[in-house]
Structure formats: structure tokens, C-alpha cells
Amino acid sequence: YPNKELSERIGAAKVKSALYRHRLKMEDIEQRHREAAKEIGTLSDRDTFMLGVGVYIGEGSKAIEEVRIVNSNPAIIRIGVCWLRKFCRIKDEHIRITIHAYPDTGISKSLRFWSKQTKIPLTQFGKTIIDNRSKKSDRKYKRLPYGTASLYVRGNGTLERGVKSLHRKIIGWIENTEKQF
């Protein structure tokens, strides 16, 4: 067995090695992010439109004739809001959000968070749903501090051509995109 002095030197060497590897990793991450930023460049309107279609393919309602994007990632919801406003020509008064929260979610904090992220006033938020299922996995406990946002369009009879018509057009965009692969 190594003596105390040798054990301390081995421990110090392990720490030094770990710090060195961590520094190399952080430098590599920064380099890859710089390369990625150059490759992406500035998004054109077409890029942004197609990004929105891609978000809808992954996170949007397709089975029911409603326009809805659900996610816990604020960037995805912000992209959805931008896309709805700019390319679907949805006025702000037709954009709504509901929050699906968990018992450990601070509801008022969550509502303020999503309102700030989306620039949608709290008056356009629907009822928050608290998921109290006891048999549900603890997987999401403390992992979704702001819950999951459900971004949707509500026509209230004043949306030109209606929500169903918009949904059908979005599905057409999706189908025509998918045909190209």
C-alpha cells in the first residue's frame, strides 16, 4: 500500500489530470460552437419558415384539426410564436398558452417566465393544469421548473378562414416538405 505522502501526490495528480481534461473539453466545445455559428450564419426568411415547419413536424398537433405546439424548451416555443406571427399571419390576440405543470412547479413564477419568453400577456394564458398523478415517474420532478407550454391558436370566430383551415395548410406544408426526402 502507498504511504500517506504518495497517496496525496496520486490524488493531486488525478485532480490535475481531471482539470486538464475538463479544460480541453471546454476549449473544444467553444471551438465547435464558433464553427457552428459560422456555418449557420444569419437565417433568411425562408430558413425561418422551414425551421417553423420542422418545429411543427416534431412538436405540433397533426391528428386533430387544431394549431398547437407543445414543448418545455422556451426556444422551441419562441420559434413557434415567431412562426405563427410571421408566416401564418396570426395576430397576437389569437395566440394562447396553457401550462402543464407538476406539483413542484411554482405556478405564478412559471406563468411570468412563459409570458416573458413569448411576449404573450398573462391575460391570454389559459388554465394551468397540475399533473398530480401518483403513479407517474419521478423523472420530471425538479427537471421542468416552468412546466410545459402548450402554444395554440384560438380563432374565436374572427380568425380569417379559421383554425381548421390554417391547420390544413400547415399539414400541406409538412406533406410537401416530406415528399422531398
Side-chain angles (χ1 to χ4, degrees), residues 135-174:
K135 299 220 186 274
K136 188 156 173 110
S137 155
D138 289 337
R139 209 169 50 100
K140 292 186 174 146
Y141 184 73
K142 295 201 185 286
R143 292 193 46 199
L144 295 174
Y146 303 108
T148 301
S150 181
L151 170 68
Y152 63 101
V153 175
R154 184 154 183 187
N156 293 338
T158 62
L159 182 64
E160 186 183 337
R161 293 189 306 272
V163 175
K164 288 182 180 182
S165 179
L166 174 59
H167 181 266
R168 292 168 187 160
K169 187 169 192 174
I170 291 169
I171 296 304
W173 290 337
I174 291 169

Side-chain angles (χ1 to χ4, degrees), residues 49 53 56 61-62 64-69 80-91 94-96 151-155 159-175:
F49 171 69
V53 172
Y56 204 91
S61 170
K62 292 167 279 298
I64 301 170
E65 287 187 321
E66 64 179 8
V67 177
R68 182 179 301 269
I69 298 170
V81 169
C82 173
W83 185 72
L84 288 171
R85 286 175 174 150
K86 187 168 186 170
F87 300 103
C88 298
R89 294 181 177 83
I90 300 300
K91 294 178 183 170
H94 294 292
I95 298 175
R96 300 284 191 272
L151 170 68
Y152 63 101
V153 175
R154 184 154 183 187
L159 182 64
E160 186 183 337
R161 293 189 306 272
V163 175
K164 288 182 180 182
S165 179
L166 174 59
H167 181 266
R168 292 168 187 160
K169 187 169 192 174
I170 291 169
I171 296 304
W173 290 337
I174 291 169
E175 288 173 359

Side-chain angles (χ1 to χ4, degrees), residues 89-140:
R89 294 181 177 83
I90 300 300
K91 294 178 183 170
D92 284 355
E93 69 250 25
H94 294 292
I95 298 175
R96 300 284 191 272
I97 295 179
T98 56
I99 306 300
H100 182 107
Y102 298 91
D104 65 315
T105 306
I107 302 306
S108 60
K109 184 179 177 183
S110 175
L111 291 170
R112 286 191 310 273
F113 172 81
W114 287 109
S115 180
K116 183 178 179 183
Q117 291 292 317
T118 60
K119 301 195 179 14
I120 305 276
L122 290 173
T123 55
Q124 290 175 222
F125 278 60
K127 184 179 177 185
T128 299
I129 299 159
I130 307 291
D131 191 339
N132 285 315
R133 290 180 285 177
S134 59
K135 299 220 186 274
K136 188 156 173 110
S137 155
D138 289 337
R139 209 169 50 100
K140 292 186 174 146

